[in-house]
Amino acid sequence: MAGRSILISPYSPPTRLRPPDTPYRKLNNNNNNNNLYSTTEFQFKLKVQLFSNRLGFERIEVWRIRSDVKSEPYEVSKSTAPGAFKIKEKLGFGVGEKEEEDEVVVENGVMWWEEFPKRWTIVVLCFSAFLLCNMDRVNMSIAILPMSSEFHWNSTTVGLIQSSFFWGYLLTQIAGGIWADTVGGKRVLAFGVIWWSVATVLTPIAAKLGLPFLLIVRAFMGIGEGVAMPAMNNLLSKWVPVAERSRSLALVYSGMYLGSVTGLAFSPFLIHSYGWPSVFFSFGSLGTVWAALWLNKAYSSPLEDPGLRPEEKKLIFKNRVSEEPVKSIPWGSILSKAPVWALITCHFCHNWGTFILLTWMPTYYNQVLGFNLTESGLFCVLPWLTMAFSANLGGWIADTLVSKGYSVTTVRKVMQSIGFLGPAFFLSQLSHVDSPAMAVFCMACSQGSDAFSQSGLYSNHQDIAPRYSGVLLGLSNTAGVLAGVFGTAATGYILQHGSWDEVFDVAIGLYIAGTVIWNLFSTGEKIID
């Protein structure tokens, strides 16, 4: 027979010829006379390794054996980033040459900050807006001391100026809620920040023109800040799941407290270095920076955000109410519910004490405790720091209790009772303390326990009427603003004819009344569809 013949023996397996120029490595170190044993051993090893893989043991050996018989093995990493993977590619080598490896990393994912949850981006931006909100609000409580000296204002006039902010603030609560629920919270909050920032910058100019101009500008500033809270409530009701509601609101409201800290801490320095007008010019200009970020990053609803990841959208829309836009407000249904009126009444009781401390605390430190301007600003920081901490602590506690199966109604009642009775107790001790340090301590504890209200009445709007949370907050905060208007002006009148003890007694009485009303009539269940 022509050509090359191949001898085949019945006692040995046929010799397998490898293709030319193919990387090859022997399965073991035995000689060529043991090919039958080698093949049998390979099959046995393969079966054992696959069996062990089913039991959940390490798979490294299986891949190694595969590497021996395949020319191009691939190892896929356990990267969590979508589209990110590692390719482990073996280069060709001849018989007896040392194996060389080269690793190539291909990244098709996104940067870490782009994977930050969009809902918490909205929360952080709202936090920043409320930081600016209270910076621009409390600067007057420090600047009013040199301003009253320069313009010869008495306590009644100071109270009038402090309360003028609430005139505009009162006008835009319900309107801001309706606007936010119908056109979206993004536009409304942007309008509010830009408006109050411009009014803040104009404050020194108005003060030099005369008292009527100052009152008008402060009222204009209140208009801008008045729409902020309903707009924020509308945004969070759309972006934040129920299980994260207390924490998100606590973080946003802690922005207010830290804004007070920042304003009270930096205002004395700016006043001493550059004069009292510098406080308004510098703080007001920060609103433009925030507005640029907000208009670029924020959306009124998850449905409007084209970059929202599917898994986050699924989380947000789980157990959510209808996303149909609000076309009309069911005023009859809203105003006929007892829990709504409990919310409105308790908001009034809460804000009476809060706004008194917000606007008059530096004056109390200066007149009663004898602190100078710088000391008044620095010691005013402590209660607001306490509020920032306790608000987030209360939010975490509330969400934890809800996740453990406690009813939302029980959680809201417990948290708000702390928010009422805590301040009432510590304010009652101010008339008995005999040192400035203890007075500051009582103020800090009063404000700290007050911050538990963020997990009580301030979370309740989204509980009982999630679709109309902006309108409902506008209603209840209107009552809260009335407390600010009457409480701030009444405090100036009381101080001109009485004492600080009488100021605190009124606040204590309202705190106790609010506790009773809240526990009798409030609920954490949805009552308005």
Side-chain angles (χ1 to χ4, degrees):
M1 183 170 60
R4 181 181 175 186
S5 61
I6 300 177
L7 179 61
I8 300 178
S9 170
Y11 302 103
S12 63
T15 303
R16 181 170 300 187
L17 299 178
R18 62 183 177 88
D21 301 326
T22 301
Y24 174 79
R25 190 168 67 181
K26 294 180 181 180
L27 293 173
N28 53 40
N29 293 327
N30 295 331
N31 56 30
N32 292 333
N33 295 329
N34 263 339
N35 285 337
L36 177 60
Y37 172 76
S38 301
T39 304
T40 305
E41 182 184 22
F42 164 73
Q43 293 173 348
F44 175 75
K45 281 186 177 181
L46 181 60
K47 290 179 180 179
V48 170
Q49 295 300 333
L50 289 175
F51 179 73
S52 66
N53 180 43
R54 292 175 185 175
L55 294 178
F57 298 143
E58 196 66 43
R59 292 188 296 174
I60 296 176
E61 292 300 324
V62 176
W63 285 99
R64 184 172 295 141
I65 292 172
R66 186 170 181 265
S67 301
D68 294 338
V69 297
K70 296 290 184 180
S71 59
E72 295 182 354
Y74 298 96
E75 177 181 319
V76 181
S77 70
K78 296 180 179 180
S79 174
T80 57
F85 56 91
K86 184 191 293 183
I87 300 176
K88 188 177 181 181
E89 180 179 356
K90 291 186 179 180
L91 303 178
F93 55 88
V95 177
E97 293 181 358
K98 184 178 179 180
E99 176 180 333
E100 295 181 359
E101 296 183 355
D102 188 20
E103 292 187 358
V104 180
V105 177
V106 180
E107 294 287 346
N108 292 330
V110 295
M111 303 305 292
W112 67 267
W113 56 81
E114 295 180 358
E115 291 192 344
F116 187 75
K118 287 294 186 69
R119 65 189 185 279
W120 284 98
T121 299
I122 298 295
V123 172
V124 170
L125 287 172
C126 288
F127 163 88
S128 305
F130 277 67
L131 182 79
L132 297 178
C133 175
N134 264 34
M135 283 178 62
D136 292 339
R137 186 186 299 184
V138 304
N139 56 13
M140 176 60 82
S141 64
I142 295 293
I144 198 71
L145 298 174
M147 290 173 72
S148 60
S149 176
E150 178 178 337
F151 297 110
H152 308 290
W153 295 330
N154 57 30
S155 295
T156 302
T157 303
V158 170
L160 182 64
I161 294 170
Q162 296 277 42
S163 66
S164 62
F165 166 86
F166 297 104
W167 304 346
Y169 197 69
L170 175 65
L171 292 176
T172 52
Q173 291 299 308
I174 299 176
I178 297 173
W179 192 15
D181 285 344
T182 53
V183 305
K186 175 182 177 178
R187 297 178 184 176
V188 179
L189 189 55
F191 163 81
V193 174
I194 294 172
W195 185 277
W196 87 56
S197 298
V198 172
T200 300
V201 172
L202 293 177
T203 299
I205 300 172
K208 294 182 182 296
L209 290 176
L211 182 60
F213 293 97
L214 178 60
L215 297 177
I216 293 172
V217 169
R218 293 295 293 175
F220 272 32
M221 181 181 172
I223 290 175
E225 295 202 3
V227 302
M229 198 172 291
M232 177 276 300
N233 217 43
N234 172 273
L235 284 162
L236 297 193
S237 70
K238 288 179 168 55
W239 277 95
V240 179
V242 175
E244 299 173 357
R245 179 170 296 163
S246 296
R247 280 173 288 172
S248 63
L249 280 170
L251 179 61
V252 171
Y253 281 110
S254 67
M256 297 179 64
Y257 309 143
L258 292 177
S260 297
V261 169
T262 306
L264 294 170
F266 283 94
S267 292
F269 169 76
L270 291 172
I271 291 172
H272 279 301
S273 300
Y274 307 104
W276 62 264
S278 65
V279 175
F280 301 98
F281 293 144
S282 58
F283 287 5
S285 62
L286 295 175
T288 57
V289 179
W290 180 91
L293 287 172
W294 178 255
L295 294 174
N296 184 48
K297 296 291 184 182
Y299 294 88
S300 292
S301 166
L303 295 176
E304 299 178 13
D305 189 347
L308 186 64
R309 297 194 306 276
E311 58 271 21
E312 185 175 7
K313 182 178 290 187
K314 181 179 179 181
L315 174 65
I316 292 173
F317 283 97
K318 184 178 181 181
N319 299 325
R320 284 286 306 277
V321 298
S322 173
E323 282 296 318
E324 295 180 4
V326 174
K327 298 180 179 179
S328 61
I329 309 298
W331 293 109
S333 178
I334 291 174
L335 297 177
S336 64
K337 307 293 185 181
V340 171
W341 286 103
L343 188 59
I344 292 172
T345 305
C346 291
H347 209 144
F348 179 91
C349 297
H350 172 267
N351 277 27
W352 184 283
T354 299
F355 280 128
I356 286 175
L357 296 180
L358 177 68
T359 55
W360 285 97
M361 192 187 303
T363 304
Y364 172 79
Y365 284 164
N366 178 257
Q367 294 181 354
V368 178
L369 305 183
F371 297 152
N372 58 34
L373 178 65
T374 302
E375 290 173 334
S376 295
L378 292 177
F379 281 109
C380 282
V381 164
L382 295 178
W384 296 110
L385 282 175
T386 307
M387 292 184 80
F389 170 78
S390 59
N392 287 282
L393 174 64
W396 177 81
I397 292 173
D399 282 345
T400 301
L401 291 174
V402 171
S403 67
K404 288 185 179 295
Y406 290 91
S407 71
V408 178
T409 299
T410 300
V411 173
R412 298 291 179 246
K413 288 185 176 183
V414 169
M415 303 306 286
Q416 190 55 46
S417 295
I418 297 174
F420 276 148
L421 296 178
F425 172 76
F426 288 107
L427 288 181
S428 68
Q429 302 305 304
L430 284 174
S431 59
H432 306 295
V433 299
D434 53 3
S435 68
M438 285 302 299
V440 172
F441 175 77
C442 286
M443 282 285 193
C445 291
S446 173
Q447 295 290 82
S449 53
D450 176 278
F452 277 76
S453 299
Q454 313 311 328
S455 303
L457 71 88
Y458 280 97
S459 298
N460 197 232
H461 308 83
Q462 297 180 36
D463 295 329
I464 64 178
R467 289 197 69 203
Y468 309 101
S469 57
V471 171
L472 190 56
L473 181 61
L475 276 173
S476 71
N477 209 33
T478 297
V481 174
L482 287 173
V485 172
F486 296 133
T488 303
T491 298
Y493 179 83
I494 292 172
L495 290 177
Q496 192 166 355
H497 300 87
S499 67
W500 278 97
D501 288 344
E502 295 172 355
V503 171
F504 295 139
D505 287 342
V506 174
I508 291 169
L510 289 173
Y511 279 137
I512 294 174
T515 305
V516 174
I517 295 171
W518 183 257
N519 282 280
L520 287 177
F521 300 107
S522 69
T523 182
E525 305 302 321
K526 184 171 70 173
I527 60 174
I528 303 171
D529 291 322

